[in-house]
Amino acid sequence: MKYESQKVALAYFIVALALFAVQVTVGLVAGYVYVAPNFLSELLPFNILRMLHTNSLIVWLLLGFFGAAYYLIPEESETEIHSVKLAYIQLAILVVGALGAVIGYVFRIHEGREFLEQPLWVKLGIVVGALIFLFNVSMTVLKGRKTAITNVLLLGLWGIAIFFLFSLYNPSNLSVDKMYWWYVVHLWVEGVWELVMAAILAFLMLKMTGVDREVIEKWLYAIVALSLFTGLLGTGHHYYWIGTPSYWQWIGSIFSSLEVLPFFAMVLFTFNMVWKRRREHPNNAALLWALGCAVLAFFGAGVWGFMHTLHGVNYYTHGTQVTAAHGHLAFFGAYVSLNLAVMTYAMPYLLGRQPYNQVLNMLSFWVMSSAMAFMTFTLTFAGVVQTHLQRVLGQGFMEVQDQMQLFYILRLGAGVMVVVGAVMFLWSIFGPVKPELIERDTSAAPAE
Amino acid sequence: MFDALTKSAARNIFYGGSLAFLLIFVSLTAQSHVYVVNTSTAKAPITESVALGKHVWEKNSCINCHTILGEGAYYAPELGNVYVRYGGDKDAAGAREAIKTWMKAQPTHIDGRRQMPQFNLSDKELDALVDFFAWVSKIDTQNWPPKVSG
């Protein structure tokens, strides 16, 4: 850590990880409700649980992005953050908003568009927090060195704020509502969030592999170009069946199929950089998470997204457990892993501890990733069964759900393992530092 | 091939191309907006009651169990065509009564069955909700869902 103000990131990461704990815990409860549907059905019905699960996910990922930005921008810009005080004020606003939303949901205070259930005052708080953030980081970048990483990161973060404004528009025509709802949801996760993701991955590669900045930044521009060239018109895959014109079936199918490309490019990029590395960075756990992020995002967002994106397929799979399968692995691969990667990288510096529990952290990667993969497989199987019975044979929804019970039990098991992995991760970061479980041998001479 | 591409060329392609795709996307959604308002959702007017129904739908966070036009949670049935599933296209009064009765009878308390909460809606709100479902069922969705089961 070269700049004092980078320390701001620590507070952001701690709050983010606390919400991560909330997210996986509520996720586990919701997974249990699928198996034992009478559980909590009056106290905390499923709709409330799901709001808590998805909203805490979104907010902790955003807090992680903000923390990552505060961590990396000083190093990239070679200057202290414009105002540390503003950064903490921003965090305080977002924490009050997040807590207000969570507590409010429990007492049935919410709006009702999926993922945008926050009451208006929370939405406005988010906008104010985002404006403070953008002012703060933009001023920092303006007074310091400008790099491709900060350019792309800032563009992504500005995009997040701008597209969020569409959440304030709620027309009474459901089809129009849905069209602009996707301006927030799709243009975030399959648009500007990818810019943030690519920029953070580029920063991690720069630091950990020591490959030339010129090479890394060229990759970065190529990746984000692929992201937006495919992702913007790829929104069309949400415009198949909501009342929008039929030409979206072709535009959506073609461009969203190509959305695989930026994720594949991220796999090529990260593995190439590690292959060509010029230094051995001691933080292998962070490297593992970064490589894992690229691979799991490619499968979760790329392959699993492609699986049901062609309109002829989507006609049958739309809104089944296939979508749930894709959603889970895409978010875990692309954005959860990314956040855990940058936290794994930055935390030892922020907490001033070296060495730290790397082996435990790497184990948590394998436990969480394999559990998420298993969850994705079970939901995919469930979705295939559902698609056939409900959409081809025309059986009733609840009748079909009863036949998917086995998969929901398996998914609950996977959920338990995700929570175990998350606890291991948190322990590796915050628990006492112990000698590594496996001693590292750094004396070996290169083989002839 | 990748070597021939310089960083500044990559940057220019990114900015220029993204702007172009953004403009195409925004113009197409503008065209779609007009199409939705004038064509695909024009079969039935959005009355005050339909708008209230949408508000009731949102206020009770129905979308976090159900789906509507395939979007939402996947815990409970699709409601975009629920009006048709209850026979509303043939017997409007019968479907209205059936949906309202169903809503009032929740939760079922049946062991091992997914539970829908009791939302204690007024008669006006229930009617508005049915009006909303009736309106949604008339949207031209390119024949989605494939079966009336949703």
Side-chain angles (χ1 to χ4, degrees), chain A residues 171-190:
Chain A
S172 26
N173 185 317
L174 184 77
S175 294
V176 177
D177 168 6
K178 281 178 178 291
M179 218 169 70
Y180 294 104
W181 179 81
W182 285 114
Y183 265 54
V184 187
V185 178
H186 176 96
L187 293 183
W188 268 26
V189 298
E190 290 165 68

Side-chain angles (χ1 to χ4, degrees), chain B residues 43-89:
Chain B
K43 255 182 239 161
I46 300 176
T47 60
E48 218 169 279
S49 185
V50 171
L52 173 65
K54 182 168 183 278
H55 179 69
V56 172
W57 161 266
E58 287 167 4
K59 188 162 168 273
N60 294 288
S61 191
C62 309
I63 201 156
N64 277 294
C65 286
H66 292 275
T67 51
I68 194 158
L69 305 187
E71 291 161 9
Y74 319 105
Y75 190 68
E78 160 71 24
L79 296 184
N81 66 343
V82 69
Y83 188 71
V84 176
R85 208 177 310 135
Y86 273 79
D89 48 345

Side-chain angles (χ1 to χ4, degrees), chain A residues 105-125:
Chain A
Y105 291 173
V106 174
F107 292 98
R108 317 288 191 271
I109 301 165
H110 49 73
E111 295 185 5
R113 290 190 301 157
E114 197 185 5
F115 312 132
L116 304 179
E117 297 92 347
Q118 311 81 31
L120 183 63
W121 71 269
V122 175
K123 284 200 182 81
L124 295 176

Side-chain angles (χ1 to χ4, degrees), chain A residues 71-196:
Chain A
Y71 184 85
L72 73 82
I73 284 176
E75 277 188 28
E76 283 293 292
S77 307
E78 298 181 328
T79 174
E80 295 285 354
I81 288 167
H82 174 69
S83 164
V84 171
K85 199 171 142 198
L86 273 182
Y88 284 116
I89 293 174
Q90 178 211 343
L91 180 63
I93 293 173
L94 294 175
V95 168
V96 169
L99 283 179
V102 166
I103 296 167
Y105 291 173
V106 174
F107 292 98
R108 317 288 191 271
I109 301 165
H110 49 73
E111 295 185 5
R113 290 190 301 157
E114 197 185 5
F115 312 132
L116 304 179
E117 297 92 347
Q118 311 81 31
L120 183 63
W121 71 269
V122 175
K123 284 200 182 81
L124 295 176
I126 294 172
V127 172
V128 172
L131 286 177
I132 294 176
F133 171 76
L134 290 172
F135 170 75
N136 209 2
V137 291
S138 301
M139 291 301 284
T140 312
V141 168
L142 284 177
K143 76 176 173 186
R145 179 177 65 149
K146 284 134 199 91
T147 70
I149 292 176
T150 54
N151 280 350
V152 172
L153 182 67
L154 271 191
L155 186 64
L157 293 164
W158 272 97
I160 288 175
I162 289 166
F163 288 120
F164 184 71
L165 294 178
F166 285 92
S167 75
L168 301 171
Y169 174 60
N170 184 10
S172 26
N173 185 317
L174 184 77
S175 294
V176 177
D177 168 6
K178 281 178 178 291
M179 218 169 70
Y180 294 104
W181 179 81
W182 285 114
Y183 265 54
V184 187
V185 178
H186 176 96
L187 293 183
W188 268 26
V189 298
E190 290 165 68
V192 289
W193 281 33
E194 282 183 41
L195 268 50
V196 175

Side-chain angles (χ1 to χ4, degrees), chain A residues 185 219 234 329 376 394:
Chain A
V185 178
W219 269 100
L329 196 60
T376 305

Side-chain angles (χ1 to χ4, degrees), chain A residues 38 42 50 110 112 117 170-171 173 177-178 180 183 217-218 243 247-248 315 318 390-392 401, chain B residues 2 5 7 29 31-33 40-41 54 58-59 64 68-69 71 109 112 114 143-144 147 149-150:
Chain A
N38 302 80
E42 315 245 330
R50 185 172 186 268
H110 49 73
E117 297 92 347
N170 184 10
N173 185 317
D177 168 6
K178 281 178 178 291
Y180 294 104
Y183 265 54
E217 296 195 327
K218 188 169 81 175
Y247 58 71
W248 286 109
Y315 183 65
H318 179 51
Q390 189 182 323
R391 295 286 168 71
V392 180
Q401 291 293 315
Chain B
F2 197 56
L5 182 77
K7 186 175 105 181
T29 42
Q31 197 275 336
S32 299
H33 187 134
S40 68
T41 66
K54 182 168 183 278
E58 287 167 4
K59 188 162 168 273
N64 277 294
I68 194 158
L69 305 187
E71 291 161 9
H109 293 295
R114 294 182 191 174
N143 292 321
W144 192 91
K147 298 281 177 188
S149 53

